[in-house]
């Protein structure tokens, strides 16, 4: 099973000046530990529920990934996930292409319909109703795929109109950077996964377990059947929302055993969040007590 770390906080003890060196150390630790994927959030403000809330440090996502690209050489890089409202889709395709080219083919495009209304209102970014956001998400997926194809003609949608979907240079990764859609909405989100995505990302934890996830994957399979797409081509990934102490060998072993039940239903990748002030130590613990066991799952 593949493993990634999702960095959710930049509130490091030594303040803003410590963020850049700490992130560089995160990248080095992630590769030394054998991780497959490194991601950050796509927000203007820190989410509610974190200690400092909106006043906690939050970095712009793609600038952060560009920094990490310069401090790593093998690991995949992505936002988990970027909201469709944050960037015009033509610009988003260009940004992700740039990340892919400069990282040597390591970009992944994670996308979702967005939800954090407060940060949009605060900075004056339009936040349409949920139905329109899903319409925009589907058009954005179409635009990105067109810009990553040989078709550089116009795109004329309900919400977006592009006179020319030209994108040079092309991505390094072929046929294009993988597209991951985050969320488990059964009527809209999983239909978009079936129609456009290379991977899905679903929430899970010990309380819900693989049984709840199996139901979501059954819905995804049904959408694939209706869309005429291949269910097996879609990577099934999870964001593990529970705390894990990777410095404990026993906790690491227990977690690996839990992941076997997820692998049994088709999950091939797990993303973990370091609920700690030092993500470097967290990642080092994963390298010692989790990554070796997951390789056999």
């Amino acid at each position: 099973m593949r493993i990634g770390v999702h960095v959710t906080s930049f509130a490091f003890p030594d303040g803003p000046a410590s963020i850049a060196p700490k992130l560089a150390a995160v990248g080095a630790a992630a590769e030394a530990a054998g991780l497959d994927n490194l991601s950050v959030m796509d927000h203007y403000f820190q989410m509610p529920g974190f200690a400092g809330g909106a006043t906690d440090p939050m970095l712009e996502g793609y600038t952060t990934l560009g920094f990490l690209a310069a401090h790593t050489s093998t690991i995949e890089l992505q936002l988990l996930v970027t909201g469709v409202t944050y960037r015009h889709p033509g610009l988003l395709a260009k940004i992700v292409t740039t990340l892919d080219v400069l990282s040597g083919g390591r970009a992944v495009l994670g996308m979702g319909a967005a939800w954090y209304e407060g940060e949009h209102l605060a900075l004056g970014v339009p936040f349409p109703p949920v139905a329109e956001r899903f319409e925009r998400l589907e058009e954005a997926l179409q635009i990105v795929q067109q810009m990553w194809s040989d078709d550089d003609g116009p795109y004329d949608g309900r919400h977006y109109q592009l006179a020319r979907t030209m994108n040079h240079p092309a991505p390094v990764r072929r046929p294009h950077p993988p597209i991951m859609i985050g969320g488990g909405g059964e009527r809209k989100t999983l239909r978009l996964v079936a129609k456009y995505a290379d991977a899905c990302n679903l929430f899970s934890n010990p309380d819900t377990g693989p049984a709840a996830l199996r139901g979501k994957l059954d819905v995804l399979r049904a959408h694939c059947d209706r869309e005429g797409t291949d269910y097996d081509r879609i990577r099934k990934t999870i964001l593990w929302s529970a705390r894990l102490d990777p410095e404990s060998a026993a906790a690491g072993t227990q977690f690996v055993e839990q992941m076997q039940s997820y692998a049994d239903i088709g999950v091939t990748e797990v993303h973990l969040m370091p609920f700690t002030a030092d993500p470097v130590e967290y990642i080092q613990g994963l390298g010692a007590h989790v990554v070796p066991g997951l390789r056999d799952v």
Side-chain angles (χ1 to χ4, degrees):
M1 180 177 284
R2 286 165 47 96
I3 180 171
V5 161
H6 182 49
V7 179
T8 58
S9 174
F10 306 105
F12 303 135
D14 295 329
S18 69
I19 293 176
K22 180 64 75 173
L23 283 179
V26 164
E31 295 197 323
L35 301 187
D36 302 288
N37 185 285
L38 187 58
S39 63
V40 297
M41 297 192 294
D42 192 23
H43 286 299
Y44 307 136
F45 301 157
Q46 181 56 276
M47 296 188 299
F50 282 73
T55 61
D56 266 0
M58 179 53 59
L59 302 181
E60 194 283 318
Y62 281 108
T63 309
T64 305
L65 293 182
F67 177 86
L68 287 169
H71 288 84
T72 56
S73 59
T74 61
I75 198 165
E76 278 186 340
L77 301 168
Q78 71 171 103
L79 298 187
L80 192 63
V81 292
T82 186
V84 69
T85 51
Y86 290 82
R87 296 163 195 85
H88 188 283
L91 176 60
L92 177 62
K94 190 67 177 178
I95 291 170
V96 177
T97 299
T98 301
L99 175 64
D100 193 68
V101 169
L102 296 183
S103 68
R106 294 186 285 128
V108 176
L109 171 59
M111 291 202 72
W115 62 270
Y116 195 170
E117 183 177 14
E119 63 182 355
H120 288 73
L121 296 178
L123 297 189
V125 178
F127 190 74
V130 63
E132 181 179 329
R133 298 202 306 276
F134 273 98
E135 291 174 359
R136 288 179 176 271
L137 177 57
E138 181 157 18
E139 289 192 12
L141 290 164
Q142 294 169 355
I143 290 166
V144 167
Q145 288 191 339
Q146 184 167 327
M147 289 186 66
W148 285 341
S149 74
D150 294 329
D151 180 1
D152 64 358
Y155 177 89
D156 187 19
R158 178 179 179 182
H159 301 287
Y160 302 110
Q161 295 80 41
L162 285 70
R164 191 175 185 188
T165 53
M166 187 170 67
N167 187 41
H168 299 293
V172 171
R173 196 161 181 174
R174 309 307 297 164
H176 56 70
I179 297 172
M180 173 190 287
I181 297 177
E186 297 184 0
R187 189 168 63 90
K188 294 183 178 180
T189 304
L190 293 181
R191 180 187 69 82
L192 295 177
V193 171
K195 191 169 183 178
Y196 299 103
D198 304 293
C200 63
N201 186 256
L202 302 166
F203 286 101
S204 196
N205 59 57
D207 294 332
T208 58
L213 206 66
R214 184 183 292 109
K216 297 288 185 183
L217 294 180
D218 287 342
V219 171
L220 175 59
R221 185 185 293 275
H223 280 303
C224 287
D225 289 343
R226 284 188 289 272
E227 296 291 341
T229 55
D230 182 6
Y231 170 83
D232 293 327
R233 73 174 171 80
I234 298 170
R235 284 189 295 127
K236 290 77 178 177
T237 79
I238 58 173
L239 178 60
W240 190 251
S241 59
R243 292 178 181 268
L244 169 66
D245 178 9
E247 296 184 40
S248 164
T253 298
Q254 182 183 28
F255 177 74
V256 170
E257 292 172 352
Q258 287 176 312
M259 289 301 102
Q260 182 60 62
S261 62
Y262 285 84
D264 291 342
I265 63 170
V267 174
T268 60
E269 183 172 306
V270 57
H271 299 256
L272 297 166
M273 293 181 281
F275 294 104
T276 173
D278 191 348
V280 174
E281 290 183 358
Y282 181 89
I283 290 169
Q284 290 170 339
L286 291 178
H289 300 132
V290 175
V291 174
L294 274 184
R295 293 298 178 225
D296 297 327
V297 171

